[in-house]
Amino acid sequence: MSSVKSIGGIASGNAIARALSASPLIAVTLYLAVSGGLLLMAGLSIADVIAHRQALAQTSDLLDQLRGRKGGARNAATTSVEHPGTPFLEGPTVTVAGANLLQRVAAAVGNVGGSVQSSQVDVAGAQAKDGFVGLVMSCELEQPALQKVLYDLEAGMPFLFVDQLDVQVPQATAQNEAGTGRVRVILGVSGQWQAGK
């Protein structure tokens, strides 16, 4: 039975070969169709590779922007001059480190025209045994300036973490369509201090 099938397959293959040799138009058409299909597949593959490279370049640019590498040499130089130093809070004691934290956050709020209402430094809290110093500050500032303060705190040196953010919008500011009134912000910030540094 299998020999009959193989003989039939050979016979049909021979019939196709005879038909192609007898009619060169069919052979040329088949050749052009196969060649066109291969060229189409190659073109689609090249287009796919180009699209992946463009997506990779866009993602790489976005990552550079998020890391702060792009945006001009002036911005990078300004950031490094504004917040030089180590990633840890400096000071010979935890109290001095807490004072430096207070000074750093107050300067960030003051740089955008905000005013500090009250502050409380926590050097003996639950996180203190892990080397963290905490600060809770109440301040008033313009609503658009809040984003600048948060960026300044989290992007600069030393590394600071915003643990708490409560924004209280007065009714007059909430009704203002431009959204440019002053808001009261309760900000919880922490940073790590290393003893003996």
Side-chain angles (χ1 to χ4, degrees):
M1 182 84 172
S2 63
S3 63
V4 173
K5 284 185 181 178
S6 64
I7 291 173
I10 292 171
S12 66
N14 287 337
I16 292 173
R18 271 187 257 128
L20 290 177
S21 64
S23 175
L25 182 61
I26 294 173
V28 169
T29 305
L30 188 59
Y31 174 76
L32 290 176
V34 170
S35 297
L38 289 175
L39 286 175
L40 179 65
M41 285 177 34
L44 290 175
S45 297
I46 291 171
D48 191 40
V49 168
I50 291 171
H52 281 304
R53 288 187 64 140
Q54 287 176 343
L56 179 64
Q58 289 175 347
T59 305
S60 178
D61 288 345
L62 179 61
L63 181 62
D64 286 345
Q65 287 176 353
L66 291 175
R67 287 183 177 166
R69 291 183 184 167
K70 282 199 170 178
R74 182 177 166 270
N75 289 345
T78 304
T79 303
S80 65
V81 170
E82 284 179 9
H83 308 296
T86 66
F88 301 103
L89 293 171
E90 295 178 356
T93 66
V94 70
T95 306
V96 174
N100 286 337
L101 175 63
L102 176 62
Q103 183 180 13
R104 171 75 175 86
V105 176
V109 171
N111 286 341
V112 295
S115 61
V116 176
Q117 304 297 317
S118 65
S119 62
Q120 179 179 355
V121 178
D122 183 15
V123 294
Q127 293 182 333
K129 59 186 156 193
D130 294 330
F132 282 89
V133 178
L135 166 72
V136 176
M137 177 180 284
S138 175
C139 57
E140 277 191 6
L141 45 87
E142 296 291 325
Q143 191 171 355
L146 178 59
Q147 183 178 1
K148 293 177 185 174
V149 169
L150 294 175
Y151 178 78
D152 184 20
L153 292 176
E154 291 189 334
M157 290 286 185
F159 291 145
L160 299 178
F161 306 98
V162 176
D163 301 320
Q164 175 186 357
L165 178 64
D166 294 325
V167 180
Q168 300 169 355
V169 181
Q171 198 170 26
T173 303
Q175 292 174 351
N176 185 0
E177 290 181 14
T180 57
R182 289 183 76 82
V183 294
R184 177 172 279 228
V185 178
I186 299 173
L187 192 61
V189 179
S190 64
Q192 190 168 16
W193 171 73
Q194 286 188 332
K197 291 280 181 179

